[in-house]
Amino acid sequence: MKTTQIAKKNEVARDWYLVDADNKVLGRIATEIANVLRGKNKPTFTPSVDTGDFVIVVNAEKIQLTGNKNADKIYYSHSGFPGGLKEISAGKLLEKKPEDLIKKAVKGMLPKNKLARHMIKKLKIYTGTDHPHAAQQPKALNI
């Protein structure tokens, strides 16, 4: 009788991947990053265990949005106080904090549970080409 192998948290081998976001479309790059963070690219994928890898994104400020999303896509946040609703367009967020734009896109593609909070911590986003993770010897992830 064959049984399904379930990955154990302490037996997972984690790799590091480097993604260059230069002239890439936000949604397309976010889906690939979310799959690697979840571990869906591995044969040992288990939905209830974090089997994913670390992802480093460089050149976050050079990411592209298709259509009219720069002006039309709005991100909302609320302070919790009356009248505390804040909104920012995707174009302004790209100018101000491009790291947050990518992080919000990837976070929306992860499951909505405690496991996703562990997965999103493995995402490292930087503007420019420099990153402090050279010692981990990241592999290039072609998207």
Side-chain angles (χ1 to χ4, degrees):
M1 179 176 245
K2 294 187 177 192
T3 59
T4 303
Q5 294 294 325
I6 297 185
K8 305 243 182 334
K9 182 178 156 183
N10 53 2
E11 295 175 0
V12 176
R14 302 203 189 279
D15 293 328
W16 286 74
Y17 289 101
L18 180 67
V19 176
D20 188 6
D22 190 12
N23 290 326
K24 300 279 174 52
V25 178
L26 175 64
R28 306 226 180 227
I29 202 169
T31 54
E32 294 295 325
I33 291 170
N35 283 339
V36 173
L37 288 175
R38 280 195 78 187
K40 292 194 90 173
N41 59 336
K42 294 182 175 183
T44 59
F45 171 69
T46 306
S48 61
V49 179
D50 183 11
T51 58
D53 299 320
F54 289 86
V55 177
I56 305 162
V57 180
V58 293
N59 290 324
E61 74 281 0
K62 295 180 183 175
I63 201 149
Q64 301 295 316
L65 293 167
T66 58
N68 253 358
K69 291 188 188 92
N70 277 331
D72 293 347
K73 187 166 182 64
I74 306 290
Y75 291 98
Y76 296 97
S77 62
H78 201 285
S79 66
F81 291 99
L85 183 66
K86 297 176 186 175
E87 59 183 44
I88 187 168
S89 69
K92 286 192 178 179
L93 189 59
L94 182 61
E95 292 172 11
K96 202 173 178 183
K97 285 188 170 180
E99 305 94 359
D100 286 356
L101 187 67
I102 296 174
K103 189 171 185 175
K104 284 176 186 277
V106 172
K107 190 174 181 180
M109 295 179 185
L110 293 176
K112 282 39 172 189
N113 55 22
K114 292 178 186 174
L115 206 53
R117 291 189 272 285
H118 293 288
M119 291 176 191
I120 199 72
K121 289 179 186 174
K122 296 183 300 188
L123 177 62
K124 316 294 183 191
I125 306 170
Y126 301 100
T127 55
T129 56
D130 297 332
H131 62 86
H133 305 287
Q136 281 75 28
Q137 300 171 345
K139 303 173 196 167
L141 185 66
N142 295 323
I143 297 175

